[in-house]
Amino acid sequence: MFMKNSALLLLASFCFLCLTYKKQTANPTVDPPEEILQSAASFPIGAALGYNLLKDNVLYKEVVSREHNSVTVENAMKWGNIHPAPQTYRFEQADFIADFALARKKRIHGHTLVWYMSNPGWLKDFKGNANQWDSLMKAHIQTVVTHFKGKVAAWDVVNEAFRDDDGTLRVENRDTKPDKDNGCIWARNVGRDYLAKAFQYAHEADPNALLFYNEYGQEWSTKKTQSILAMVADFKQRNIPIHGLGLQMHIDINTSNDGIANAIRELTKTGLKIHMSELDISVNPKNEVNFVFTEELKQKQADKFKFVATTYKTLVPENQRYGITHWNVGDADSWIRSFMKRQDYPLLFDEAYQKKKAYFSFLEALK
Ligand code: XIL
């Protein structure tokens, strides 16, 4: 009798345990796992990260930890930040972002070694001949690339070398405002071949890193696209290492779909990796005052994000898909608000890091 009772008790406790265990664990057939960008896509999905946001904003960190598997450093690797004085390199902010990414096994995309913008005052004032400028550029590239060797998977070696209007190389300043320079100190001082030199120097410092040329506006400037193609052909002929092309994709809800598709199609022909490197989709491109982000605009933005993801998947062969990177995370973090000074909502998450309509349509298109 005693044996029978204890056996019954044992059985009852076992059943109870089974039931509570079942209650506590998610049942995949009943509760499908939450869908996230990085697992929906067959290629990396990135975000450009700001140092202060990552350091101070828990929600920001949470969203990136969960959704993205590639990280671009939005500003901390640019000359002005990383090399603020002739003998001073400041790596702390870029290291902080890189450590965050490495700890979570996310790819790090380096941005950017050579650019006509974001250069510190001391550099703009530097006086020297072509050889001295060349040495300066080489030392910078190799110091930065060596510092991140083995951590940074790929670099935007040169950013925005070609002009908006005629697609020619930026050299002399054509801006009439005295404080603006849309020419390029590198082309002026090192010479027009600074592009090839920069790639060569980066390759010497880290032969395993993939090297990208990054540019905006290919979707509306076929002249820029042609210049990029000519540059790639020239590099190939001279054995200058280049592995990828970045299309920044700072677009808006009215950007021509044909323009986007044509740019991707043309650049893909190079056989290089294609990175949508700075995607954001503006909904208030004309900077209207008292702008309202209506349901209609939300839908248009969602449709455009869907088009971008679908077109990337359709036109870029799998082995050329380096990934799609969003230029920051929540609408309030976007450079369009801070730098362009526009009331806009260009990203996948809103100010409170809630997923927007655009998020869901982009996610669906990735699958
Ligand atoms: C922007 C950053 O997002 C801003 O925070 C900064 O003030 C200026 O630069 N093309 C590029 C990026 O390649 O480096 C730019 O980033 C946006 C345009």
Side-chain angles (χ1 to χ4, degrees):
M1 183 66 181
F2 174 73
M3 285 291 285
K4 210 174 164 191
N5 276 350
S6 46
L8 273 175
L9 202 70
L10 251 172
L11 187 70
S13 334
F14 178 72
C15 291
F16 176 74
L17 275 175
C18 286
L19 277 174
T20 44
Y21 177 75
K22 208 172 170 207
K23 249 192 193 165
Q24 281 163 7
T25 18
N27 180 345
T29 53
V30 181
D31 313 315
E34 189 190 4
E35 289 187 302
I36 48 173
L37 299 175
Q38 60 164 315
S39 48
S42 60
F43 46 83
I45 299 293
L49 301 188
Y51 168 75
N52 287 323
L53 282 161
L54 188 65
K55 184 166 66 72
D56 300 332
N57 191 324
V58 182
L59 269 180
Y60 185 83
K61 197 169 160 180
E62 237 176 67
V63 172
V64 180
S65 300
R66 183 184 72 222
E67 301 278 346
H68 304 91
N69 50 3
S70 178
V71 161
T72 299
V73 179
E74 184 183 15
N75 288 311
M77 287 180 178
K78 291 172 182 169
W79 265 86
N81 295 317
I82 213 164
H83 195 171
Q87 306 306 329
T88 312
Y89 284 88
R90 291 234 171 88
F91 290 113
E92 301 84 37
Q93 299 199 353
D95 280 345
F96 180 82
I97 299 175
D99 290 345
F100 162 84
L102 284 175
R104 290 161 184 78
K105 300 196 165 38
K106 298 183 192 300
R107 182 181 68 188
I108 305 171
H109 185 80
H111 175 85
T112 173
L113 297 168
V114 178
W115 192 18
Y116 78 100
M117 282 180 79
S118 191
N119 292 316
W122 71 266
L123 185 61
K124 291 187 218 161
D125 296 338
F126 181 77
K127 301 271 177 292
N129 61 28
N131 280 341
Q132 288 162 321
W133 273 94
D134 191 345
S135 306
L136 194 66
M137 183 179 84
K138 180 176 180 180
H140 174 85
I141 291 175
Q142 299 201 328
T143 304
V144 176
V145 172
T146 303
H147 180 86
F148 293 104
K149 193 173 177 172
K151 296 182 177 174
V152 164
W155 285 98
D156 287 335
V157 180
V158 180
N159 198 29
E160 304 177 353
F162 300 108
R163 288 193 184 279
D164 292 356
D165 50 358
D166 57 8
T168 57
L169 196 71
R170 290 178 198 274
V171 188
E172 297 303 329
N173 184 25
R174 283 195 207 155
D175 209 304
T176 47
K177 296 183 204 99
D179 59 327
K180 290 266 176 68
D181 183 359
N182 64 8
C184 173
I185 54 168
W186 303 110
R188 274 204 299 276
N189 296 301
V190 178
R192 301 174 78 93
D193 208 28
Y194 81 96
L195 270 157
K197 288 181 172 169
F199 277 80
Q200 196 64 54
Y201 298 151
H203 185 66
E204 282 167 19
D206 185 357
N208 292 323
L210 298 177
L211 305 181
F212 279 72
Y213 174 74
N214 195 47
E215 184 62 88
Y216 68 92
Q218 298 96 321
E219 63 282 356
W220 46 260
S221 169
T222 51
K223 288 182 178 155
K224 261 192 188 184
T225 305
Q226 291 314 314
S227 295
I228 296 167
L229 293 176
M231 178 196 72
V232 173
D234 171 55
F235 277 19
K236 283 188 177 168
Q237 206 209 338
R238 291 196 285 155
N239 269 330
I240 306 292
I242 181 165
H243 311 102
L245 296 172
L247 293 97
Q248 293 183 8
M249 300 290 286
H250 294 294
I251 59 174
D252 66 70
I253 47 170
N254 302 316
T255 302
S256 144
N257 285 351
D258 283 348
I260 296 171
N262 286 336
I264 298 174
R265 203 176 285 117
E266 285 302 308
L267 295 172
T268 299
K269 285 183 192 159
T270 58
L272 300 182
K273 297 205 180 296
I274 303 294
H275 185 198
M276 292 213 163
S277 56
E278 307 185 10
L279 178 61
D280 47 29
I281 303 184
S282 164
V283 291
N284 183 20
K286 295 207 177 106
N287 198 7
E288 283 164 25
V289 278
N290 303 324
F291 174 80
V292 182
F293 190 24
T294 59
E295 281 309 314
E296 191 193 336
L297 290 173
K298 287 178 188 168
Q299 187 59 50
K300 276 194 167 176
Q301 186 186 44
D303 293 344
K304 199 59 111 186
F305 267 108
K306 180 178 171 188
F307 177 80
V308 167
T310 311
T311 310
Y312 184 77
K313 265 176 39 184
T314 316
L315 296 181
V316 183
E318 222 168 315
N319 65 336
Q320 283 177 260
R321 290 181 203 151
Y322 179 79
I324 301 183
T325 295
H326 300 266
W327 206 241
N328 227 316
V329 182
D331 283 336
D333 315 324
S334 169
W335 74 301
I336 295 186
R337 290 201 188 175
S338 52
F339 187 80
M340 308 287 255
K341 310 254 177 289
R342 232 159 60 208
Q343 186 57 27
D344 216 313
Y345 304 82
L347 294 164
L348 296 185
F349 296 87
D350 69 12
E351 285 123 340
Y353 298 103
Q354 295 300 306
K355 297 167 179 176
K356 291 162 58 182
K357 193 171 237 176
Y359 173 96
F360 295 103
S361 69
F362 184 74
L363 180 92
E364 277 309 308
L366 289 176
K367 290 199 249 170

